Amino acid sequence: VLVPFLFLFVSCVSSQVRMMSMTSLCRGINRRARLSLQQRFVSASAVPTSVRIVEVGPRDGLQNEKSLVPASVKLELINKLYQSGLRSIESGSFVSPKWVPQMADAKEIFQVLGESENSYPGATFSALTPNIKGLEGAIALGVKEVAVFGAASESFSQKNINCSIDESLERFEIVCK
């Protein structure tokens, strides 16, 4: 029995990313050659044995809310996510409160999470840190994992983090060291 797989290949062309399925990649190739090609790309060693899901709702899901969400409500959400079985939760970001007012309480959130660390065995509470200042704030509070983000277009990069893609990559290099 042949189990159908969907394979995605990503090829970068200029600044665009195109994705195609194995089916469309193999159109016109006979069945035997297609199966051989599929077997080359998927072997037991290529299939991951586990997947890590990082919940970003407390940060990404709340950062654009019009009315401010109190830290107590955010902490309740984080607790419920943990109780649901999630262990990797991006809980806030260290960004300018001028630009992202919803994240102004990140320090409070991470202080409480740090103080109640024993209540969350196996949990990782990460923070988004788009620059060195954010990283320093996270480190000062004992955050053990940070995330950075990049944009695929210049306009989104300018709008979201106020710099070009190249400038953002330079910032990330500093943060990741």
Side-chain angles (χ1 to χ4, degrees):
V1 176
L2 178 64
V3 178
F5 289 99
L6 175 64
F7 298 92
L8 295 179
F9 292 90
V10 178
S11 60
C12 295
V13 181
S14 301
S15 64
Q16 295 181 340
V17 176
R18 292 188 312 177
M19 300 180 93
M20 62 184 81
S21 71
M22 175 64 88
T23 305
S24 65
L25 181 69
C26 295
R27 271 198 196 110
I29 299 176
N30 69 35
R31 185 175 190 275
R32 183 183 222 175
R34 183 171 44 246
L35 290 174
S36 173
L37 188 57
Q38 287 175 342
Q39 289 170 349
R40 281 170 70 205
F41 284 104
V42 174
S43 67
S45 63
V47 177
T49 57
S50 65
V51 174
R52 180 172 174 234
I53 297 172
V54 179
E55 170 58 52
V56 298
R59 194 242 351 129
D60 193 48
L62 297 178
Q63 73 180 10
N64 292 321
E65 288 297 312
K66 299 290 183 221
S67 57
L68 287 177
V69 178
S72 61
V73 173
K74 292 177 186 177
L75 288 163
E76 184 179 350
L77 171 62
I78 292 165
N79 184 54
K80 288 183 178 189
L81 291 168
Y82 178 82
Q83 294 303 320
S84 77
L86 293 166
R87 295 297 179 259
S88 297
I89 303 169
E90 191 173 287
S91 303
S93 62
F94 289 86
V95 294
S96 170
K98 174 183 174 187
W99 299 109
V100 189
Q102 283 291 6
M103 295 296 113
D105 57 4
K107 182 177 179 180
E108 179 183 351
I109 299 289
F110 284 99
Q111 281 176 329
V112 171
L113 292 173
E115 292 166 2
S116 55
E117 190 173 359
N118 293 335
S119 300
Y120 299 103
T124 301
F125 299 111
S126 60
L128 184 73
T129 58
N131 55 41
I132 194 69
K133 186 176 179 182
L135 176 64
E136 290 168 349
I139 290 171
L141 288 167
V143 175
K144 294 178 177 68
E145 183 175 295
V146 299
V148 297
F149 64 94
S153 73
E154 287 294 334
S155 60
F156 186 78
S157 186
Q158 286 292 341
K159 181 180 175 189
N160 203 29
I161 54 177
N162 200 29
C163 66
S164 69
I165 292 172
D166 288 339
E167 291 168 325
S168 71
L169 294 174
E170 289 172 15
R171 289 180 186 178
F172 301 158
E173 187 176 353
I174 294 167
V175 170
C176 292
K177 285 183 178 179

